[in-house]
Amino acid sequence: MMDLKIPGGYTLRPEQEAFAKEASSILHNGGLYMVSAPCGIGKSLAALLASLPQGKKLVICYRTKTQLGIYLKELRALHPPVLAVSLFNRLEMCPLDNSALTYHEFTERCRRLRSETMDRMEADAIKSTGHGSAFRMDKRKLKRIREYPCPYYALVKIDRNGARSFARDCCRSFMDPVQVCALAKKKGWCAYESLKAILPEASLFLGTYHYLFNPPIREMLERSFAPLPEINIVVDEAHNLPLFARELLSAKLSLHAINNAYSEIQRFRTKMSDDLLHAAAPDDVYEAFDQYDNAAERALTITDGLRVVLEKLGDLVGDRSKKVLGDRVGGRSKKIPPRLVGRMVRAACGDDWPQVADHILWYGEVIKEKKENDGEERIFSYTHRVGLALRIFFESTGPSYVHLVERSDDGRRVAIAVRNMDGREITAQVLENVHGGILMSGTLTPLPVFSDLTMSGMNDRVALREFASPFPQKNRLILVASDVTSRLPERSPSMFERWAQYIDAVCASNRGNVACFFTSYALLKKTPTPKTSGNIIVEGRHTLREEVLSQLARSDRNVLLGVMGGKFAEGVDYPGSLLTCAISVGVPYAPWDDYQRALIGYMEGQFPRKGRTYAYHTPAALRLAQTCGRPIRSESDQGCMVILDNRVLSHEILSCLPSYLRQELQIVHSPGECADMIRSFWSGPSG
Ligand code: SF4
């Protein structure tokens, strides 16, 4: 095992040392360490200290890319240095201008450019050397590298050693992928391909969850880096893992996509007709024209039929449902048997769904091929995507899938969807096969729930551990209002008014910026605007984090209004004293719709008598804990957390919260009392 030295002058916290020691011994024995460690423990460094000396290759994965910077900073300070490769996805690392392309369009473009580049290189190699190996070409003879379809890719293939040496230099300096891309572009390398070329010799890989949990992407990692049984893993922000895996196994077919496919087929049909009529071989023209025109007609009938099906299904989640469900967070959904959808497809499209899906998949391929042959930049096909989504919708069956018709919050978008309810299909496959691993988060409580949701029957291999917050308790004040709730039957103008009174009281008594997070935009809009002489910032779809953070830095009298789960309530730090109080208005339960009912029912079947805890209370408590934790991100931070919903005091929610929230919360009974508590907090010894 390698002897790893921590940076001079750095002292490990007792909790950090305990974390590193426990994790090290568990990894050594091929186990899994699942740990809930609040902000400030120093999880990243502890995980590196435990896993790097094991002498095994290591994969660190995270949900949000901002985590990467933390690891690179720690790695720079450790000795001896390790060769660590970090990747974003190809699109983010590509030096070409892809601004007009969607991710799928780019993927097609990159694949085509690579394949055409290889073909051209083979042809040039034959011309210049007499044999077809592009890799044995004399690079001096390749004077016209800029003329290759992707010159950046060509340079990596022609000068492999140069690309590797460039990538090694970048990784030794612990550059992040953005820095590598900037440098690679100047030098003419494809950054993604250069870094990928040194994966076999690297001892550490850092990337998003996709690299480990998305099977086709993991294949690349296993091929180039190491197979699962030979690696240890660190899964950061692991509270996201169950949902991430479920989403990976889910698919949606929207009315919008079908309309796009319909227009695409119409445009393509006209283009095909024009091209065929101008073709050089007149004898073949009419036969080919007939063949393609019939196929286009059929594809139009099908997409038109699918549109009718979705419109009819959309009525099932229309206004009536809106009245019932009110303004709960998220979309509305209704369970729909796939057999019924199949019958509707047959009636509207004139064929059974497998033939319908096959035809539009095939026609989508024709569109893509033609675009590729014509050298178009955008070779993505909506028609193809519709065919794929339709196939996934019907082929994803079994107790862990639920088929739904969904309508967006604003009521405008309708889709049919198949949603997975058990991400273990993906996560257990990885966790069972790796040598060992650390799964960690600041909010991974209750630990047994997350263990159950990510692994199946591996309890003898898993050690669960919760750490207390290392920050001084005197630096935070946690208040819960006893006389307000966001329970649907109790939402009334007087409840909104009472919330506003609490918010005004907090704004008047707090020292510094206040953020007020609601369970939904609808609640935000219904609650009277805070009475403050400061600046009010309202989170919107296009609000930029950086702009808000700089506004918070300019003054300490701002009130930020946002939503839980939004860009200001999770995954963002407010350094220094940018934020000194977070108010949570309501408990962020998922909307009570057919999906939620199906999920609870499924969980109940898997974990008897725990369905609601696993599917309903835990996700709400997790989101609430994330929101509350915003003001206190370092040892010296001081701040208040105010929760305006008495349902937090129920056993169901309390038992799912991290221990510091559970143990330190104090109950207030009126806005006045709330303001007094906040004032005395700030005027006390810590204030
Ligand atoms: S090979 Fe690299 S440079 Fe070329 S298109 Fe793909 S990502 Fe971009």
Side-chain angles (χ1 to χ4, degrees), residues 6-13 16 40-42 45-46 49 73-74 77:
I6 57 168
Y10 188 98
T11 319
L12 290 181
R13 295 168 186 282
Q16 198 174 22
I41 296 268
L45 180 60
L49 291 173
K73 184 171 152 263
E74 306 289 14

Side-chain angles (χ1 to χ4, degrees), residues 436-563:
I438 302 170
L439 290 93
M440 61 189 199
S441 162
T443 47
L444 205 58
T445 49
L447 280 158
V449 175
F450 284 95
S451 162
D452 280 346
L453 291 178
T454 47
M455 314 169 203
S456 11
M458 300 169 62
N459 294 350
D460 53 335
R461 224 190 132 196
V462 190
L464 307 179
R465 173 77 142 99
E466 183 182 359
F467 285 92
S469 171
F471 298 152
Q473 187 176 337
K474 66 179 172 57
N475 282 1
R476 58 187 172 247
L477 175 71
I478 305 171
L479 302 176
V480 177
S482 65
D483 59 340
V484 278
T485 176
S486 61
R487 276 189 75 233
L488 208 51
E490 292 178 51
R491 286 185 199 176
S492 62
S494 61
M495 185 60 73
F496 296 125
E497 187 52 47
R498 191 66 171 163
W499 273 331
Q501 289 167 5
Y502 269 105
I503 295 166
D504 290 344
V506 174
C507 292
S509 54
N510 186 58
R511 270 191 210 166
N513 294 316
V514 174
C516 190
F517 297 110
F518 296 78
T519 55
S520 70
Y521 280 107
L523 276 197
L524 190 159
K525 282 182 196 153
K526 282 182 183 170
T527 306
T529 310
K531 295 186 189 90
T532 168
S533 53
N535 183 37
I536 294 185
I537 310 163
V538 183
E539 176 187 348
R541 189 181 294 201
H542 304 295
T543 315
L544 295 175
R545 257 187 199 176
E546 298 67 33
E547 279 178 14
V548 171
L549 291 182
S550 64
Q551 169 60 35
L552 296 181
R554 278 197 292 275
S555 142
D556 62 357
R557 304 190 57 224
N558 297 288
V559 181
L560 168 63
L561 304 180
V563 288

Side-chain angles (χ1 to χ4, degrees), residues 580-642:
T580 55
C581 179
I583 308 175
S584 305
V585 184
V587 175
Y589 278 116
W592 190 254
D593 56 14
D594 274 12
Y595 171 69
Q596 195 54 42
R597 275 188 281 271
L599 188 62
I600 292 173
Y602 176 80
M603 291 293 174
E604 193 63 35
Q606 296 292 309
F607 311 104
R609 293 181 305 285
K610 296 178 183 164
R612 274 187 181 248
T613 303
Y614 282 46
Y616 198 51
H617 299 305
T618 302
L622 170 65
R623 187 157 275 184
L624 185 69
Q626 285 282 338
T627 306
C628 289
R630 288 308 106 196
I632 311 254
R633 312 301 293 169
S634 79
E635 191 158 14
S636 56
D637 285 345
Q638 294 172 330
C640 309
M641 308 168 192
V642 181

